[in-house]
Amino acid sequence: MYVASSRPAKTDFRTRLPGTVFALGTVSLLTDISSEMVTAFLPVYLLFTLQMSYLQFGLLDGIYTGATAVLRLVGGYVSDKANRHKTVALAGYGLSAVTKLVFPAVGASTFGIGGVLAADRAGKGVRSAPRDAMISLATPADSLGAAFGVHRTMDTIGALLGPLATFALLAWVTTHPEPVFVISFCFALLGVIVLAFFVRQPPKTESTRQVSIRRSLGLLRSAGVRRTTIAAALLGFATMSDAFVFVILQKVSGLSPMWLTLMPVGTALIFLLAATPLGALSDRIGRWRIFYLGHVLLLGAYALLLGPVTGWLLVVPVLLLHGLFYAATDGVLMAHGATMIDPELRASGLSMIQTGQALARLLSSIGFGLMLTFLSFGTSVLIGLVALLASLLTVRVLVKP
């Protein structure tokens, strides 16, 4: 089994990263403007415009975050087998772009919205592992944390601009949903064009062993990959989805629902500032250590939601901790996993870790939707806090990636 090194090497911020990292970062930036325009709009659209229940919202949010997680495995395996990471990623980005034009056509149909969300997330599921594999294959092992940090920083610029675009459209142009989805499609299409013409397929990996389903599944026999997947799933199961964090924060803080579309901007801004420094730091002191610390910060955000503070004095620190959580976990997990996986199986291995985490977050979204339907906000958050604390202790004592 491939192991890049037993301890992450020191990484200089001045390390020259390959152009593939920046090209894929541009693709993700444009695509995230598109997807986050829709993500920021959905809570307002579903809860306030269509008057859906929290259970319905939880089911749809679960679909949006994890229902098509199994396609991550398909995308990872196919891109490794055919050695066509770029082609598979292009198909995923293209599918997600097309769905933006379908949203207005389904109207208020819960079934129709669920189908479009599933197709959108199917595209994300297919493209994620090949994209991350291209980053890891183009980057030296001792710079993986920095590379994923830079990519996630560019990705987060899009996540920052998307909600701002939605807020501007709703506040100053129109309250109708159609322009949001059409402009979202335009940004997604630009991302597909950049990927098609400015990203190179990585050179074919030299290996005497063929890629097969048996070899891909055999990665779970590796203690490092298996424990990382289990730990990511345990922590993912106790992670409240972004949409629920923002909805609860808006309710507890007492702010107007208008601010709900701008709350993702606060998280994205902190992510933007912290992703690259924390990625580089993980190269020096340990990637799993930073990933674990990120969930400890998330535990702090949950605790604040239970406190007596309201208004902006609550919103600012919660969004700060939420953004730091993502900066410490999103790209860092992939950098950690990449060091344990053979190059020719890189996309397959990363997709396994991603799938375990995504399926756990799917169950988490449904669970929180049920709790918010039948329990108070405070009780639901308290259960989430206890679950996350139990997951942190379990991972620390028993799993030990």
Side-chain angles (χ1 to χ4, degrees):
M1 179 56 61
Y2 174 83
V3 178
S5 90
S6 58
R7 182 183 295 268
K10 291 184 178 181
T11 300
D12 192 326
F13 271 112
R14 296 168 295 180
T15 299
R16 183 176 178 83
L17 297 175
T20 297
V21 174
F22 297 98
L24 286 171
T26 302
V27 174
S28 292
L29 187 157
L30 292 167
T31 303
D32 245 39
I33 293 177
S34 169
S35 62
E36 292 302 323
M37 284 184 68
V38 174
T39 299
F41 184 57
L42 279 178
V44 174
Y45 185 54
L46 299 179
L47 293 175
F48 296 100
T49 303
L50 302 185
Q51 297 292 307
M52 287 187 176
S53 69
Y54 286 118
L55 179 56
Q56 288 176 303
F57 181 69
L59 289 170
L60 289 176
D61 188 64
I63 290 173
Y64 197 67
T65 55
T68 55
V70 68
L71 288 177
R72 296 172 185 262
L73 296 174
V74 175
Y77 173 73
V78 171
S79 63
D80 280 338
K81 181 69 174 178
N83 197 39
R84 290 291 183 269
H85 301 88
K86 176 181 173 179
T87 302
V88 175
L90 193 60
Y93 279 106
L95 176 60
S96 291
V98 171
T99 62
K100 304 304 186 295
L101 295 180
V102 183
F103 268 107
V106 300
S109 167
T110 303
F111 179 79
I113 292 173
V116 178
L117 288 175
D120 183 26
R121 294 301 89 181
K124 181 176 177 63
V126 167
R127 73 183 184 241
S128 294
R131 179 203 63 208
D132 287 344
M134 283 192 284
I135 293 172
S136 69
L137 291 171
T139 306
D142 61 354
S143 300
L144 283 170
F148 278 102
V150 167
H151 174 268
R152 278 5 183 218
T153 295
M154 297 181 70
D155 180 273
T156 307
I157 293 174
L160 182 66
L161 295 176
L164 288 174
T166 296
F167 182 82
L169 283 171
L170 296 178
W172 300 321
V173 181
T174 178
T175 58
H176 294 290
E178 288 81 4
V180 174
F181 295 119
V182 172
I183 294 174
S184 171
F185 166 75
C186 293
F187 279 108
L189 181 61
L190 285 174
V192 171
I193 292 172
V194 172
L195 176 60
F197 293 101
F198 296 97
V199 176
R200 294 181 179 180
Q201 163 67 28
K204 187 173 182 179
T205 55
E206 298 296 332
S207 176
T208 58
R209 303 178 65 189
Q210 289 190 341
V211 175
S212 65
I213 294 178
R214 184 175 181 179
R215 270 195 77 197
S216 297
L217 294 176
L219 288 171
L220 291 176
R221 289 196 294 268
S222 163
V225 175
R226 182 176 64 253
R227 291 179 180 181
T228 297
T229 303
I230 293 172
L234 283 172
L235 294 170
F237 180 72
T239 299
M240 198 186 309
S241 76
D242 294 357
F244 279 129
V245 169
F246 299 140
V247 167
I248 292 172
L249 182 57
Q250 181 267 319
K251 292 288 186 181
V252 173
S253 67
L255 297 182
S256 166
M258 179 186 69
W259 293 103
L260 188 57
T261 58
L262 279 183
M263 286 183 180
V265 177
T267 293
L269 180 60
I270 301 303
F271 192 168
L272 172 66
L273 296 173
T276 298
L278 285 177
L281 179 64
S282 75
D283 287 332
R284 294 198 297 271
I285 70 172
R287 291 156 189 151
W288 185 261
R289 183 178 297 174
I290 294 295
F291 180 80
Y292 188 88
L293 176 61
H295 286 84
V296 175
L297 296 174
L298 182 63
L299 189 70
Y302 290 0
L304 287 175
L305 290 173
L306 294 171
V309 181
T310 59
W312 288 105
L313 289 177
L314 173 65
V315 171
V316 171
V318 168
L319 294 181
L320 173 64
L321 291 172
H322 197 235
L324 288 174
F325 156 69
Y326 273 113
T329 58
D330 191 14
V332 172
L333 178 62
M334 292 298 95
H336 171 75
T339 60
M340 300 179 290
I341 303 167
D342 294 321
E344 70 272 16
L345 294 173
R346 188 65 53 81
S348 300
L350 293 180
S351 69
M352 287 182 182
I353 299 171
Q354 292 171 349
T355 298
Q357 186 182 56
L359 287 174
R361 288 184 174 178
L362 162 63
L363 297 175
S364 173
S365 289
I366 296 174
F368 273 105
L370 283 169
M371 286 192 292
L372 288 175
T373 300
F374 299 107
L375 302 174
S376 67
F377 284 102
T379 302
S380 300
V381 174
L382 179 60
I383 293 174
L385 185 148
V386 172
L388 181 55
L389 179 60
S391 296
L392 284 166
L393 293 175
T394 301
V395 168
R396 180 76 174 179
V397 176
L398 299 179
V399 183
K400 298 179 182 178

